[in-house]
Structure formats: structure tokens, C-alpha cells
Amino acid sequence: MSDSKNNAAISHEVDVALVGAGIMSATLGAMLRELEPGWSQILFERLDAPAEESSSPWNNAGTGHSALCELNYTPEVNGKIEIAKAIGVNEKFQVSRQFWAHQMDRNVLGDPREWINPVPHVSFGRGEEQVEYLKKRYEALVGHPLFPNMEYTDDRAKFDEMLPLMADGRSASDKVAISWTKAGTDINYGALAKQFLASAKENGTEIRYGHEVTNLTRDGQKWKINVKNRHTGETSVIRANFVFVGAGGMALPLLQKSGIPEIRGWGGFPVSGQWLRCTNPDIIEQHAAKVYGKASIGAPPMSVPHLDTRVIDGEKGLLFGPYAGWTPKFLKQGTWFDLFKSIRPTNLMSYVGVGLQEFGLTKYLITEVIKDQKARMESLREYMPNAKDEDWELVTAGQRVQAIQPVVGPRFSTLAFGTSLINSSDGSIAGILGASPGASIAPAAMLELLERCFGQKMIEWGDKVKEMVPSYGIKLATDKKLFEEIWGYTQKTLQLED
Ligand SMILES: Cc1cc2nc3c(=O)[nH]c(=O)nc-3n(C[C@H](O)[C@H](O)[C@H](O)COP(=O)(O)OP(=O)(O)OC[C@H]3O[C@@H](n4cnc5c(N)ncnc54)[C@H](O)[C@@H]3O)c2cc1C
């Protein structure tokens, strides 16, 4: 680029620039402040407040994803339940718990009730096939060190006692089963990000709200960051040694602008979401669990339906969903051109490849988009047969950008479910694509970023990293004693004990 913007005077030099005030930047900023307190940090957020996009509590489901109840992590293949993905996600969530507990010990984080609360996680199966699957899944997980105290029942009386809201009005002939654990959590990632950022500000991080990063260009080993004040229109250029693109859905276009070869071929497909939110406090009180069922055939893992207790600002809530919708925006507060602007000659075939292969996804999206309120309530009634229209309102959830990963061969591309980290080979810039398990595993994702971008430094930082995450480098799945120790410490510190 040789435009005038790029030649503008540098107004500021920093060690670390963070783009976006969501949970990812907040987490990375906290890690780097502890590892390198002398490094200067600046954060740019296009909106006027932190965590207003995906990390906002009503924009996501607030599940502490650890595969306790989400069935997409335990697929059945040739009659056998595979648990490798479940173990992987659970391991990552243990990293989160340790990191958060450590940040509480250091007084970076304050009252945990503001952002983490114990809520049982329940898996729900309905009909012969699902009940059989659920039993097999339970048998595959019970006794595993990372999944202690799981229980299962297909006894109707027990089901009715445990989940009265889901039992009320259900036909006696309806075959159902559940497996559950009390070890689950509901997390307000917005409140968590805000606590991190409040501490960041106190400790010298400069945070500029209402400032949008418009371009990223290499400047030798460093990066020039073009920033626009969205209120005054004023522009500035900042130079940073390291840039983290924690811009949620906008990470793809910003990484494309940086021109790093690692982003070539990647694409993103926006999927918006909606919830039904319960407005009747009597109904909300009758349910205390996150109940996850099976996704419909062809539906992506993000679409798994759940009837979900939330705890937001000290108040209990209840939501059901998500229902998928569609807009070409990459952020809830994005623009109608986001998708079209992200299509480049280098990733066109990735979009075409996914379009040709993913009939299931296309069919699922069309079915969801044409669903009216009556159809939405019918889906809810599979979980809560007596649900009444007047007790539920439709709210818009956060915007997801499903990452499309280029692959070599005739397929051209594949959908990359999960959270994908992209970084330049010299480690001077990195960003996160994708969503779920997203926020739940932010600390593990950011540790992976540190390993990839600051490889040599990780040796020097070793002791501090071990303080942050005592199990760092150890698979808890194979060390039951350490898992129990860490579980005890995090339960106590995060105030999750009964
Ligand atoms: C419907 C839904 C349900 C979900 N459920 C769960 C769940 O139950 N559990 C879970 O763990 N995860 C869940 N997720 C995923 C989770 O919400 C995300 O992974 C996580 O919030 C992403 O955090 P982030 O910081 O990367 O992005 P965000 O929180 O979106 O933050 C990005 C920020 O960058 C800002 N920004 C963008 N572009 C620019 C720019 N150019 N300049 C400056 N600022 C910019 C945005 O305004 C925004 O504030 C869900 C997501 C959705 C959409």
C-alpha cells in the first residue's frame, strides 16, 4: 500500500496493540501484562463500550463449554462413542478455570459471582435412538477422570422430578433420558472481559473506545495500524511490535488487509442467531440447568438446541435456541458489505467449494430462516411441551462467522468448526477466527498464541506460565491426582462449591 494514510506520521509507538475489546483481547492483555509488565499495551475498540459484540452475555449462551453436556463433542462412529474431542475441550476448560482462579488470587479479577455461576449441565435424549445414544455416551464417559460424578437416568419419574418444566405436559409414552453433572457453569463473558479491562486500565493499558482499526501494514519487523475515531472522523497511525486481531467476526477482513500469506484462502460465512427469552419469572424459577439436545441432521454444531438457565447481573434468566438467521454482516453492529468485501481472488474457490459440498448446512439455514414464531415455539415445545407464546420473546443473538478453511485437493475448502488461530510466520501478528467453544477456551487459545508467536520467550516465561496455569504442559486426563487437586483449588477460588 502506498496511499497517504500509510505515509501519515506515527503518533504512538507501543509494544502490543490489541484490536477489539472482547474476551479474547482482554485475556491476552492480562497474560502479557503478567509476563511482561514493562511492555506498553494499547487497545482499540470500534464501539463505545467493551464486550458489546459476541462476548456480551445475551449475545452468546454463556455455557462454560467443557463437553459435560454438549453432544456434538461425542459423535457415534460405527456404533462407538468417540470421546477424544470431549476430552480435548474439557482439558482446555481446565486451563480457563486455573487461569481465572490465578487472576483472582492476584486481584486482577474480583467478585466471581459477577461472571461465573454453578449451573448443572444436562444432556437430553428423546426417542429410542437418542436414548440409546445417550446411554452409550454416558457409559463412555463415566469413570473418566475429567468427567467425575456424571449420572444417567431413563426413568421417567426421576426425569420428571429433576426437570419439572420439561416434564410438564409431556406424554407418558414419550421416551426420554438425561445424563447430568452438577459441575457445569454459566459464564457471563462480558462481565469477565470488563473486569479484565478495568484492571488493564488501572495498570497502564491505554484503551480507546469508538476507535476503529481500518488498516494494518507491515513496517519492517513492526506493524503500522491505521485508526479512525468514529465520532470525530480523525485518523491516526500507531506503530506496534505485535498486533492481536481480537476483532471477532471482523478478524478475517483485518487479517486479509494485513496481507500475511497465512490468511490466504480462508473465508468466512456469517450466521446470525436468535433466542427465545423467557419473560415469566415463575417459569424461569422452575428450571435450573443447561439442557443440551441433539442437533438436527445437517445442522452445524453451533446450532445444537438448548434450554438454558442464565445468570446475568445477579438475576436468573432462561433462553431457548439458537435459531439461525442470515445477514451478510460480520458483526451484529457490522455493515451489509462485510461478506462481499471478504471475497477475494485468493479465497473465491474456498467459498465455491463449501457451497458445492455443504448441502446439509444450506438446507438447515434455509429451513431456519423461513421459520416463523409458530415453528419456533414448536421447537421449544419439544423441550417444554407446555410452553406458552406469551411467556417468550424473540431476541437477536451475536453474529457468528463460520470459518472456511482452504484445503489442498478437489474439495478446495472445508468448514473449520471450533476456534482457529492464524498467525504470521514471524509471530508479529495473530488473530482468531470462528466461535464455539470460543470464549470458554480463551486462555488456552491465548497460550497457544504465545507459544506460536513468542516461542523463545516461552522458555523465559516458563515459571510464570506455570503459576498462571499449574497444569501447563500436562494432560490432566492422564493425571487424576493433579486434576483433583486443581479442581479443588478452582472450585474454592471461583466460589463454585455447594
Ligand atoms: C449465538 C452465539 C452463542 C455462543 N455461545 C457460546 C457459549 O455458550 N460459550 C462460549 O464459550 N462461547 C460461545 N459463543 C462464542 C463466543 O461468544 C465467542 O467465541 C467470543 O465471545 C469471541 O470473543 P472475541 O473477543 O473474539 O470477539 P467479540 O466479543 O465479538 O469482540 C470483538 C470486538 O472487536 C471489535 N472490533 C471489530 N472490528 C474492529 C475494528 N476494526 N477496530 C476496533 N474494534 C473492532 C468489536 O466491536 C468487538 O467488540 C457464542 C457465540 C454466539 C454468536
Side-chain angles (χ1 to χ4, degrees), residues 20 22-24 45-46 54-55 60-63 65 213 246 400 437-440:
I23 190 62
M24 293 295 176
E45 167 55 55
R46 67 192 287 277
S54 288
S55 302
N60 64 67
T63 302
H65 285 304
V213 170
R400 300 183 198 244
S440 302

Side-chain angles (χ1 to χ4, degrees), residues 448-461:
E448 188 187 340
L449 180 151
L450 295 178
E451 286 163 4
R452 289 215 221 158
C453 294
F454 299 91
Q456 283 307 311
K457 278 266 177 196
M458 282 307 269
I459 300 165
E460 190 186 309
W461 292 339

Side-chain angles (χ1 to χ4, degrees), residues 60-65 70 121 185-187 189 290 292 306 308 440:
N60 64 67
T63 302
H65 285 304
E70 310 87 326
H121 280 194
T185 48
D186 178 74
I187 300 178
Y189 296 105
K290 286 177 172 281
Y292 275 63
H306 43 100
D308 213 330
S440 302

Side-chain angles (χ1 to χ4, degrees), residues 19-25 44-47 52-55 59-63 65 189 211-213 246-248 250 254 275 292 331 397-400 435-440:
V19 186
I23 190 62
M24 293 295 176
S25 292
F44 299 104
E45 167 55 55
R46 67 192 287 277
L47 302 178
E52 294 277 290
E53 283 284 345
S54 288
S55 302
N59 283 348
N60 64 67
T63 302
H65 285 304
Y189 296 105
H211 281 70
E212 178 155 350
V213 170
M250 284 308 278
L254 278 177
W275 313 116
Y292 275 63
L331 293 172
Q399 189 74 354
R400 300 183 198 244
S436 215
S440 302

Side-chain angles (χ1 to χ4, degrees), residues 39-40 61 85 129 146 179 183 192 201 280-281 291 297 320 341 348 372 394 405 424 437 442 444 461:
W39 284 4
S40 54
K85 276 189 196 161
E129 207 178 300
L146 298 182
S179 65
L192 177 59
K201 203 169 167 207
N280 183 336
V291 182
I297 293 163
F320 181 78
K341 287 208 290 204
L348 182 62
D372 57 10
L394 191 66
Q405 182 176 8
S424 63
W461 292 339

Side-chain angles (χ1 to χ4, degrees), residues 80-81 113 118 150 156-157 191 215 229 234 243 247 282 296 380 400 423 488 497:
K80 200 168 170 278
I81 305 294
R113 280 291 80 79
M150 276 190 80
R156 188 53 194 272
N215 204 8
N229 181 326
E234 199 185 323
V243 182
D282 293 340
S296 3
L380 169 60
R400 300 183 198 244
N423 62 285
E497 289 171 323

